[in-house]
């Protein structure tokens, strides 16, 4: 497991933008799947976007394609999520997750495959 430190989030009106950032504390950043899951009250935790730090290959949930962008900064051991055109249905607690990986195919949004999690950060979108 790795220690993940999240920042960002907050409240915004529909159509607005927010960004999230996740830093890996340990220096074992390479060849990991990292990304974001979210959980709304009463719902299952679902994958939003993940990225393979080895080559930048990313996977997005259909609900956020074209609106969210995940990126990595290998020099800073961080992964960021830029969220544009936010909708009320994006309201949730967002969690950073990470797992070791030998390739991007392992970065699918299977929650149980990720052993490392951040503490979560709230995103609230009002209509």
């Amino acid at each position: 497991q790795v220690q993940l430190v999240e920042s960002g989030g907050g409240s915004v009106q529909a159509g607005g933008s927010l960004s999230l950032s996740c830093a890996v504390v340990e220096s074992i950043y390479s060849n990991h799947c990292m990304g974001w899951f979210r959980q709304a009250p009463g719902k299952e935790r679902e994958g939003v976007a993940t990225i393979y730090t080895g080559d930048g290959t990313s996977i997005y949930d259909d609900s956020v394609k074209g609106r969210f962008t995940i990126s990595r900064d290998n020099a800073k051991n961080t992964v960021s999520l830029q969220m544009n055109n936010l909708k009320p249905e994006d309201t949730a607690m967002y969690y950073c997750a990470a797992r070791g990986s030998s390739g991007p195919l392992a970065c699918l949004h299977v929650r149980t495959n990720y052993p490392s999690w951040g503490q979560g950060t709230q995103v609230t979108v009002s209509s």
Side-chain angles (χ1 to χ4, degrees):
Q1 294 188 4
V2 298
Q3 185 177 355
L4 305 173
V5 179
E6 300 156 339
S7 60
S11 298
V12 68
Q13 289 188 330
S17 299
L18 288 171
S19 63
L20 306 178
S21 184
C22 178
V24 181
V25 175
E26 293 83 5
S27 59
I28 48 173
Y29 176 78
S30 62
N31 297 336
H32 270 67
C33 293
M34 291 188 65
W36 298 91
F37 288 68
R38 66 186 180 187
Q39 188 167 17
K43 294 188 176 181
E44 295 288 324
R45 191 172 298 188
E46 62 179 7
V48 176
T50 53
I51 190 167
Y52 176 56
T53 60
D55 64 7
T57 300
S58 55
I59 301 173
Y60 294 93
D61 185 76
D62 287 344
S63 65
V64 305
K65 284 181 180 177
R67 300 188 297 123
F68 291 12
T69 303
I70 190 169
S71 61
R72 76 202 197 286
D73 185 334
N74 289 354
K76 296 181 179 180
N77 288 0
T78 59
V79 171
S80 299
L81 184 69
Q82 178 65 40
M83 304 181 291
N84 297 327
N85 191 20
L86 282 159
K87 303 176 181 180
E89 50 263 44
D90 295 319
T91 295
M93 186 71 79
Y94 283 68
Y95 297 90
C96 181
R99 64 168 300 192
S101 173
S102 59
L105 291 179
C107 300
L108 295 175
H109 299 170
V110 180
R111 176 179 56 85
T112 54
N113 287 349
Y114 289 77
S116 301
W117 293 88
Q119 77 280 4
T121 185
Q122 180 68 36
V123 171
T124 302
V125 185
S126 59
S127 57

